[in-house]
């Protein structure tokens, strides 16, 4: 197989959902189909095993949520698929956002009874910003759900995302009988606790006689009415719109019952994009280019606190990776030898000898890398589309309890900031102010400083909830505009940020100081000006 064929067989996607919609269950079923795991429950078990062996992950166990996220790879009918597992909890929004910059498409899992929930909205916004295709899996059809049209309308009304049904439910809850696959013109029958059965239909589709003895009268007449409506007034199936994230193919099913999952997976593999060109400061790089390039989108601390090394998740965008190769870190111009990298399979960590564009590899890191870093064999330093930084909403002043241990404290703060676990700022007195999207990030931060860096800290919560970068040539003038409801801090790149008590204070400030330019989200590497 040529490299181009291999690249074309790759799919990298992220699953987004509100907690409890069924993301883990669906992931698990996909891995089962790919033979990457043998038993249902393995993904959950793996997480639980992690909790048991690693100390700082104790927090996850206590809170019953997933703090870290990883990549799971499997093969299915000649395709190599990487699922980016994203933590669904509110507290970890920031980390999740970053992961979404590395995927080529996203699968949005929605609980059919609940419809679109808060976290889904936030995560969808990131996908929409990137213009990647979003596939919708409406889950839990084995239970009573909202009306299918109502759910599809929610996509359009709440997310502004037009959709096109690929499978359509036949009844729901107690009366759920299966789905109709509009593209393949077949019905997949749901049989609780038993394997499903597929019935191919004639050209008349659901209006033909085949279903009359199989689908209950009311369900069949409803199905016919609904399909008539979809075919007459629904959105046209438009592959171009799908690939630009402007139209979402919709699937219905039950992850728990493993129903509708195969239909989803097969259509998804047909419609989702293989790794394509990626924009950089030096123009586009193509996956088939000779020159090796890629970027780090996540850094994860070692699960074993006895080992300080970290794992940098690296997406290869072009060229071929060979173990032991030397690359340039564009940010510093430094030459780096990648002696060891690991595959990120669901059930094993194996050393990688070679890998190509569209692969995600884990590079062992002893503190050299930052999120967003580019590694390349190109002579020219290059930078990929910067990852967005989202403004935190919670702030804390942090000081070491034992000033003799200030060095440990400093090292821990720097490393956790590099990992992207937390935003670190300095105020005018050079004190450390940390910012997070959610409370749990603070807890993890405190726990890890204590356990990994032997540093006990004091955390004083600050009464601010909104942060804005400020673009100015005259910082002294900006300082004079501040009062007790605002505070000036500096980020990692020395860029000034004003913290405001709340949205109201911010609005008031903007009204009074219309000449001062405030920015909400910033690209990590960009400079103000
Ligand atoms: P998440 O990763 O999105 O947070 O959700 P997860 O898969 O953990 O699923 C949340 C709950 O919903 C789980 O129940 C799971 O079994 C259930 N679930 C997932 N898919 C379906 C489905 O298609 N139909 C039905 N009826 N339930 C589904 P739990 O009781 O919280 O956990 P567990 O005890 O089953 O592990």
């Amino acid at each position: 197989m040529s490299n181009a064929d291999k690249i074309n067989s790759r799919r990298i996607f992220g699953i987004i959902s509100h907690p409890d919609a069924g993301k883990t269950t669906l992931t698990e079923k996909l891995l089962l189909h790919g033979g990457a795991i043998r038993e249902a429950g393995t993904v959950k078990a793996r997480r639980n095993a992690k909790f048991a062996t690693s100390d700082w992950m104790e927090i996850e166990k206590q809170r019953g949520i997933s703090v870290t996220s990883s990549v799971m790879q499997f093969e299915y009918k000649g395709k190599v698929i990487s699922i980016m597992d994203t933590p669904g909890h509110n507290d970890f929004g920031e980390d999740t956002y970053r992961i979404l910059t590395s995927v080529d498409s996203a699968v949005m899992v929605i609980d059919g009874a609940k419809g679109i929930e808060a976290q889904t909205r936030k995560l969808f916004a990131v996908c929409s910003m990137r213009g990647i295709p979003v596939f919708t899996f409406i889950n839990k059809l084995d239970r009573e759900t909202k009306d299918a049209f109502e759910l599809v309308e929610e996509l359009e009304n709440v997310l502004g995302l037009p959709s096109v049904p690929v499978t359509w439910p036949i009844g729901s809850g107690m009366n759920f009988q299966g789905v109709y696959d509009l593209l393949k013109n077949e019905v997949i029958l749901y049989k609780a606790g038993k394997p499903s059965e597929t019935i191919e239909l004639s050209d008349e589709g659901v209006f033909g006689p085949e279903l009359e003895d199989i689908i209950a009268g009311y369900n069949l007449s409803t199905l016919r009415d609904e399909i008539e409506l979809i075919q007459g007034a629904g959105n046209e199936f438009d592959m171009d719109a799908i690939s630009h994230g402007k139209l979402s193919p919709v699937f219905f099913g039950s992850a728990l019952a493993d129903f509708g999952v195969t239909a989803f997976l097969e259509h998804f593999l047909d419609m989702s994009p293989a790794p394509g060109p990626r924009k950089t400061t030096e123009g586009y790089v193509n996956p088939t280019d000779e020159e090796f390039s890629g970027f780090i989108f996540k850094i994860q601390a070692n699960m074993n606190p006895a080992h300080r090394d970290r794992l940098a998740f690296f997406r290869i965008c072009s060229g071929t990776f060979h173990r032991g190769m030397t690359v340039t870190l564009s940010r510093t111009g430094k030459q780096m030898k990648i002696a060891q990298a690991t595959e990120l399979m669901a059930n094993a960590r194996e050393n990688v000898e070679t890998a190509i564009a569209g692969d995600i590899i884990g590079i062992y890191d002893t503190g050299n890398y930052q999120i967003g870093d580019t590694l390349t064999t190109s002579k020219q330093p290059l930078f990929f589309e910067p990852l967005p930084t989202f403004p935190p909403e919670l702030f804390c002043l942090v000081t070491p309890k034992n000033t003799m241990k200030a060095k440990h404290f400093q090292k821990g703060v720097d490393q956790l900031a590099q990992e992207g676990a937390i935003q670190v700022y300095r105020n005018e007195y050079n004190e450390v102010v940390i910012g997070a999207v959610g409370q749990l990030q603070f807890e993890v931060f405190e726990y890890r400083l204590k356990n990994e860096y032997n540093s006990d800290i004091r955390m004083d919560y600050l009464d601010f909830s909104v942060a804005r970068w400020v673009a100015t040539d005259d910082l002294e003038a900006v300082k004079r505009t501040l009062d007790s409801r605002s505070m000036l801090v500096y980020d990692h790149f020395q860029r000034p940020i004003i913290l405001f008590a709340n949205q109201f204070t911010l609005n008031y400030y903007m009204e009074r100081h219309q000449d001062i330019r405030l920015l909400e989200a910033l690209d990590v590497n960009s400079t103000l000006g």
Side-chain angles (χ1 to χ4, degrees), residues 94 390-398 417 420-425 432-439 441-442 445 459 462 464 467 489 499:
E94 199 178 4
F390 293 87
E393 290 156 27
L394 297 167
F395 301 90
C396 229
L397 184 71
V398 191
I422 204 123
Q423 300 286 332
V424 175
Y425 310 111
V432 174
V433 171
I434 56 173
V437 176
Q439 171 65 27
Q441 276 174 276
F442 285 155
F445 177 80
M459 297 176 74
L462 298 173
F464 301 113
V489 294
L499 309 184

Side-chain angles (χ1 to χ4, degrees), residues 4 6-7 17 56 120 131 273 311-312 333 355 357 363 447 475 479 485:
K6 280 192 201 155
I7 292 164
S17 77
W56 70 264
T120 319
L311 199 61
I363 298 175
Y447 193 93
L475 201 57
K479 283 183 195 169
R485 284 159 305 163

Side-chain angles (χ1 to χ4, degrees), residues 11 27 99 251 262 399 468:
R11 297 289 182 276
T27 305
I99 286 164
F251 302 82
T262 310
T399 38
R468 290 291 181 269

